[in-house]
Amino acid sequence: MTGDTKRALQQYVEPFTLFSSSDITLFQAGSHYRLYEKFGAHPMEVEGANGTYFAVWAPDAAFVAVMGDFNGWDHYSHTLYPRWDSSGIWEGFVPGVKPGSLYKYFIRSNSGEELIKGDPYANYWEVRPKTASVVCQLDYEWDDKKWMDHRRKNNALDSPYAVYEVHLGSWRRPDPNDPERVYSYQEIADMLVPYVKEMGFTHVELMPVMEHPFDGSWGYQIAGYFAPTSRYGTPQDLMEMIEAFHLAGIGVILDWVPSHFPYDAHGLFRFDGSHVYEYADMRKGYHPDWNSYIFNYARNEVRSFLLSNAIFWLDRFHADGLRVDAVASMIHLDYSRERGAWLPNELGGNENLEAISFLKKLNETVYALYPDVQTIAEDSTSHYGVSRPTFMGGLGFGMKWMMGWMNDTLDYFKKDPIHRKWYQNDLTFSLVYAFGENFMLPLSHDEVVHGKSPMLYKMPGDDWQRFANLRLLYSYMYTHPGTKLLFMGDEFGQTSEWNFRGELDWHLMQHATHKGLKAFVKDLNEFYKGSTALYEQQFDAAGFEWITVNDYDNCVLAYVRKGKAAGDILLVVLNMTPVARENYLVGLPVAGQWEEVLNSDAPEYYGSGVVNTGIISTVKQTYNGRDYTISLRLPPLGATLLKLRQPDSSKRS
């Protein structure tokens, strides 16, 4: 028998703490952002004995013990000590407990109710449907220093930002007919990293990788906020995947869900028999849309939990950004609630003032500690200043999803081209408010599920027209001000709705139509990254100017995008009908020579080949209120992008 084992038998739990008085003060003030260094299970050596320190917050508990495979899951043998400072923290060091040990907390509340809970701060969990937490060390030797040292430029608001949104379990599967079999983090990385690199995306966004009990929640019903899901491997395996993206020059955004959590028995709901993490009043604490529970943003310890969780993924997993889910539901008390089913705030309004305060604190903390990352809000409302600094009264996010653009654009493109002339203003309306926020244009997973149909089949017309429409839509998306997000499968024309149990329709790549669309998205990404006119002023009205906005009969739109340098101008002309237009006149504010640099109707994209070749010079002719005019060929259901050529400085006039 070893000395550690003898000691464990002599004394089950030793008094020990990692908390300082300042930790407790910050925790109770809602300002602690590194609680993961204190709470949870931490393997360590104490006075010569190897074991694990446990700490859990259970303020309404009368008794807390840690149980696991190291004590035969005994409810009483390893009793934790309550702190003397009334913080509600129970803690203690258990000798002999090693990494890999399974554990849970046995909690008897002051009411006498007995519960068995997983660890809210656990870094690793058993693979579902099992629910035990696992003692785990997060040590990892990172090799992405070059990326981390220079990512400020890659993540900047005046840099190209094209995001590929991915659900790890259904991008590819070992056996598409067996939903239980999935690739590991490493196997996914070996396939996904080169694919994202090949396609030219600058970032990948992972739908929630935090531990969740139910596959059908897609990761949005989280039980283990501080643990990557064990479905695909260990925390270190996820770190290695993120590192692989960084080594390839690709940023990683993580979906983060501080808005709600499920009611699974081992999770956060009624953690110690009382409403610890959620609002006690179900008019604020229950979410009818998702049958889940809402964090109590008024409770400082909960604010510290969420604040620490956000920092955890940036700190320990080198994430380059957090896409914050369901912000609209957080900041509006009446979100999805009928009259009388919600509780007004202290001012009588419908805003959740505590949630707004928390989000401001979150963004201030994130950008103070990691100024080279981005926080991105999924918000469908017109709440003021979501992506404006907090000192200006905003929420402080770096970007906000442009849900209005997404809805209006899809509604327009679903219409038969013969009717589109009546709806041009719906399509162009986004430019009325495009610079009120730092907008990201999303075509996300939400648009290809629940009967909404895949992107390709939203498009009207025959097979050729569907693909032409989709290439046209993507052309509009990539030349519209704002950053870009495309869900997996959209890039090659997935023909079935996304199904988390299966995989993408990779067999479609044998068809020229799908190959052409994929090639076009790849070239769009590369063109976007190489065109300063498209990203240097993507959040500034100075980077955009309408040229033709009133040609309703022909359904043609034209606009220019501008970089910061004089003469850095890109002309975009979109033909929303299947009728090719020869000698179409476009009025321009500047004279010069133009050259077509991208055309969605090019033969290599399975287009019909209506392109503009050679150099096109303006003529001094007033047209549509402009002093100069050029004549173009407009492709059917196509986009032509032309760049103003810079004069050769080596030649003298």
Side-chain angles (χ1 to χ4, degrees), residues 175-382:
D175 181 356
N177 297 315
D178 183 359
E180 285 302 307
R181 289 188 61 198
V182 293
Y183 284 115
S184 68
Y185 287 116
Q186 183 58 60
E187 290 170 328
I188 297 168
D190 289 344
M191 296 180 287
L192 184 58
V193 173
Y195 181 81
V196 174
K197 183 74 171 175
E198 174 208 349
M199 290 301 296
F201 291 97
T202 64
H203 293 73
V204 66
E205 179 182 317
L206 305 181
M207 290 171 66
V209 295
M210 300 79 185
E211 192 58 82
H212 52 283
F214 177 47
D215 291 9
S217 77
W218 313 335
Y220 291 99
Q221 297 275 16
I222 298 172
Y225 271 79
F226 289 84
T229 177
S230 55
R231 288 167 173 80
Y232 316 118
T234 67
Q236 285 78 8
D237 292 335
L238 176 59
M239 293 174 183
E240 189 175 1
M241 169 191 267
I242 293 173
E243 180 181 83
F245 276 112
H246 287 172
L247 294 176
I250 298 164
V252 179
I253 303 163
L254 299 180
D255 261 12
W256 186 56
V257 191
S259 47
H260 61 108
F261 56 88
Y263 55 86
D264 296 75
H266 65 287
L268 298 178
F269 179 60
R270 298 189 70 253
F271 186 77
D272 63 1
S274 67
H275 296 290
V276 184
Y277 288 93
E278 68 275 10
Y279 285 107
D281 189 327
M282 289 299 105
R283 289 174 293 177
K284 292 177 72 174
Y286 175 72
H287 208 302
D289 276 5
W290 302 307
N291 194 23
S292 56
Y293 293 85
I294 300 170
F295 284 104
N296 183 350
Y297 307 108
R299 190 163 194 171
N300 284 339
E301 293 90 344
V302 174
R303 291 164 69 101
S304 289
F305 171 85
L306 291 171
L307 198 60
S308 295
N309 188 242
I311 299 302
F312 171 78
W313 294 102
L314 301 173
D315 174 23
R316 296 298 176 88
F317 287 84
H318 289 199
D320 300 290
L322 298 173
R323 178 268 194 184
V324 182
D325 182 63
V327 170
S329 75
M330 294 175 65
I331 63 179
H332 292 97
L333 296 166
D334 58 348
Y335 185 89
S336 283
R337 295 179 190 272
E338 301 295 330
R339 183 186 297 272
W342 58 281
L343 194 65
N345 63 35
E346 61 197 45
L347 304 176
N350 69 338
E351 292 183 327
N352 188 327
L353 302 179
E354 300 114 19
I356 290 171
S357 168
F358 165 72
L359 289 172
K360 290 181 178 182
K361 177 75 171 179
L362 165 75
N363 286 311
E364 289 169 355
T365 304
V366 166
Y367 284 111
L369 295 172
Y370 299 96
D372 52 355
V373 305
Q374 293 294 343
T375 58
I376 305 164
E378 186 215 9
D379 176 32
S380 56
T381 69
S382 57

Side-chain angles (χ1 to χ4, degrees), residues 16-175:
F16 185 78
T17 188
L18 287 178
F19 289 91
S20 66
S21 58
S22 61
D23 285 325
I24 301 301
T25 299
L26 290 171
F27 175 48
Q28 294 180 327
S31 300
H32 206 307
Y33 53 80
R34 295 200 190 275
L35 287 176
Y36 52 89
E37 296 176 349
K38 312 293 179 176
F39 281 114
H42 297 274
M44 60 178 59
E45 181 182 316
V46 175
E47 296 182 357
N50 290 315
T52 299
Y53 164 75
F54 294 93
V56 63
W57 181 53
D60 199 46
F63 176 89
V64 178
V66 60
M67 49 187 277
D69 56 3
F70 53 87
N71 66 3
W73 299 96
D74 190 289
H75 291 188
Y76 303 101
S77 61
H78 288 73
T79 306
L80 298 180
Y81 297 96
R83 285 184 61 87
W84 56 271
D85 52 16
S86 301
S87 61
I89 298 171
W90 298 71
E91 61 185 349
F93 175 74
V94 183
V97 176
K98 302 175 181 178
S101 297
L102 306 180
Y103 71 100
K104 284 188 177 183
Y105 293 116
F106 173 73
I107 300 171
R108 182 183 296 121
S109 73
N110 283 320
S111 67
E113 183 179 1
E114 295 183 346
L115 306 103
I116 296 176
K117 293 286 188 178
D119 187 349
Y121 288 85
N123 297 135
Y124 195 41
W125 293 68
E126 285 186 291
V127 180
R128 57 93 182 96
K130 296 180 179 179
T131 57
S133 303
V134 183
V135 177
C136 174
Q137 290 178 311
L138 288 183
D139 52 316
Y140 185 76
E141 189 173 333
W142 287 89
D143 192 30
D144 63 349
K145 186 176 188 302
K146 183 178 179 181
W147 167 269
M148 296 295 284
D149 287 347
H150 297 94
R151 70 175 178 175
R152 178 187 293 268
K153 177 59 179 172
N154 297 311
N155 292 330
L157 293 176
D158 59 355
S159 293
Y161 213 93
V163 182
Y164 187 59
E165 185 189 20
V166 176
H167 178 262
L168 291 180
S170 57
W171 184 70
R172 284 190 183 272
R173 281 186 179 270
D175 181 356

